[in-house]
Amino acid sequence: MSAVLLLNGPNLGILGRREPEIYGTDTLADIEKAVAEEVAVKGWDVVSVQSDSEGDLVRAVHDHHDSTVGAIVNPGALMIAGWSLRDALASYSPPWIEVHLSNVWAREQFRHESVIAPLAGGVVVGLGSFGYRLAAKALLHLSEAATTGPRS
Ligand code: DQA
């Protein structure tokens, strides 16, 4: 079965109780369920990896390269200087979408640039956990476009 890699970086394992006024009350398990619901229309599965360590995320990108049809990546604070995650994603050939729950541009200056964003197929920002659903829909759309040619 084809699968989507759902990759979440540091501090995203405690969603639900982490600054809920910024990140909402949905847990990572809720998000995994939502993404699974979206991609089930294609018969895709979800492989979810969350780690507070960059090396684990790099390894996950390598390990799932051949077995996944796309990825949804919330790098957390690794957006700021996660160069090895950036390099791992540079060699990940399926499409992938970057997600941030919060509107990073409405926050501190240090969150205004993502080192991985220039490589992403798209970026969803500021829509809370719903952003992961949108990213899943985007992967479905990109996969469709890849087989039928570009559409608006
Ligand atoms: C985040 C935004 C990052 O700046 C922050 O470090 C996070 C969460 C988000 O989803 O809004 O950990 O990626």
Side-chain angles (χ1 to χ4, degrees):
M1 182 188 266
S2 302
V4 167
L5 177 61
L6 174 61
L7 203 63
N8 280 283
N11 300 305
L12 294 167
I14 56 164
L15 284 177
R17 66 181 170 85
R18 178 188 178 194
E19 299 178 274
E21 66 289 359
I22 298 175
Y23 299 114
T25 52
D26 278 356
T27 63
L28 186 53
D30 294 329
I31 288 166
E32 287 165 350
K33 194 164 163 274
V35 171
E37 270 172 26
E38 294 296 333
V39 301
V41 302
K42 271 260 184 191
W44 293 349
D45 216 349
V46 176
V47 176
S48 178
V49 177
Q50 187 279 324
S51 179
D52 299 324
S53 306
E54 187 170 1
D56 292 345
L57 300 169
V58 167
R59 174 61 56 195
V61 173
H62 296 169
D63 287 351
H64 297 288
H65 180 274
D66 295 336
S67 56
T68 50
V69 291
I72 298 171
V73 182
N74 185 341
L78 293 172
M79 67 181 288
I80 298 158
W83 295 109
S84 58
L85 177 60
R86 182 245 174 248
D87 283 355
L89 288 165
S91 61
Y92 180 78
S93 22
W96 59 274
I97 308 292
E98 179 175 353
V99 173
H100 296 283
L101 294 136
S102 63
N103 180 355
V104 288
W105 291 296
R107 301 182 64 195
E108 303 94 328
Q109 181 79 35
F110 67 86
R111 298 183 206 274
H112 291 185
E113 203 175 326
S114 163
V115 297
I116 70 165
L119 306 178
V123 182
V124 183
V125 162
L127 294 171
S129 61
F130 185 61
Y132 286 87
R133 276 193 189 268
L134 293 177
K137 286 181 191 295
L139 287 180
L140 295 170
H141 172 78
L142 290 174
S143 130
E144 203 86 349
T147 48
T148 61
R151 275 185 308 190
S152 55

